[in-house]
Amino acid sequence: MNYSFNTQRLSMRLIQQGDFDIFVQLYSDPKTMRKICAPFEPQQIKQFFETALQDNLSPIKQRWVWVIEQNGLAIGLQSLFSSNNQPNCAEIGIMLLRKSNGKLLAEEATTGLINFGFNTLKLERICAQYDSTNYATHRSTQKLGFIIEQPITNHSDEKNTKDKPKNLTSYLTAEIWQKSLPNHTNTC
């Protein structure tokens, strides 16, 4: 199966051995990682890269990592991670180099990946989990039609969780995506 796909301005392909530099640029950058976790140490980046390569080479795919290219240059990474306990469901993720932010490239790449996930991989549900203070991701997922799942709050524990970052989980189903497809054709 061909796992490459394109949008109007972008090309996506599974990562290869020569793509280590984009991992280093993204995962070691404190500003890029600020809403995800602490920047990775060099050994963590190397280990994560090797794992992603192996996942992409596995004959039974449950994790895919693509390089996002614009005009032949790597500008980011995006991924789908499926779960054993939820077949036909995957979590989506995207990271762009800072110089590529603010140009609607993340939304375009995400739209391409959603189309690929639903149409080629035959996923039924795609989820996005992100820090609730990541307003750009929140706006983008809302614009693409993702539905926010209400977080479960333990009211007796509320005082202890006030200082902890809160994550939002949203989802999109193939059925919802198909109904909203005319809204997304200008992005790709």
Side-chain angles (χ1 to χ4, degrees), residues 166-185:
K166 294 186 172 137
N167 287 330
L168 291 176
T169 300
S170 56
Y171 69 92
L172 186 60
T173 64
E175 182 180 345
I176 293 168
W177 184 251
Q178 287 301 322
K179 287 179 183 176
S180 68
L181 207 50
N183 298 329
H184 305 297
T185 55

Side-chain angles (χ1 to χ4, degrees), residues 137-174:
T137 298
H138 183 71
R139 278 190 306 274
S140 181
T141 55
Q142 294 297 288
K143 188 175 178 181
L144 291 170
F146 279 77
I147 298 167
I148 296 175
E149 291 183 336
Q150 294 301 320
I152 299 170
T153 307
N154 182 348
H155 295 288
S156 65
D157 226 15
E158 199 169 309
K159 289 180 184 175
N160 297 333
T161 61
K162 277 189 177 181
D163 296 332
K164 295 179 184 175
K166 294 186 172 137
N167 287 330
L168 291 176
T169 300
S170 56
Y171 69 92
L172 186 60
T173 64

Side-chain angles (χ1 to χ4, degrees), residues 87-90 117-118 121-126 172-176:
N88 299 320
C89 177
F118 287 141
L121 300 177
K122 304 300 182 200
L123 295 172
E124 294 173 8
R125 181 178 166 115
I126 294 176
L172 186 60
T173 64
E175 182 180 345
I176 293 168

Side-chain angles (χ1 to χ4, degrees), residues 35-147:
K35 301 287 184 181
I36 303 168
C37 66
F40 286 12
E41 296 296 324
Q43 186 57 36
Q44 290 174 296
I45 297 170
K46 185 176 177 2
Q47 183 178 1
F48 188 64
F49 177 73
E50 293 298 327
T51 300
L53 273 176
Q54 291 305 312
D55 287 341
N56 280 353
L57 294 173
S58 173
I60 300 172
K61 301 246 188 274
Q62 289 190 291
R63 298 173 185 249
W64 303 265
V65 179
W66 288 269
V67 170
I68 304 167
E69 293 180 327
Q70 183 179 34
N71 300 322
L73 298 173
I75 63 163
L77 299 169
Q78 62 183 352
S79 60
L80 283 174
F81 296 96
S82 65
S83 168
N84 283 338
N85 57 353
Q86 289 187 318
N88 299 320
C89 177
E91 185 173 331
I92 195 169
I94 186 168
M95 296 171 69
L96 293 179
L97 295 173
R98 284 191 272 156
K99 67 183 179 184
S100 298
N101 288 329
K103 300 174 184 175
L104 297 177
L105 295 172
E107 186 177 315
E108 183 175 331
T110 302
T111 299
L113 185 54
I114 290 168
N115 279 326
F116 186 82
F118 287 141
N119 298 326
T120 304
L121 300 177
K122 304 300 182 200
L123 295 172
E124 294 173 8
R125 181 178 166 115
I126 294 176
C127 300
Q129 187 175 62
Y130 54 92
D131 183 299
S132 63
T133 64
N134 189 337
Y135 302 118
T137 298
H138 183 71
R139 278 190 306 274
S140 181
T141 55
Q142 294 297 288
K143 188 175 178 181
L144 291 170
F146 279 77
I147 298 167

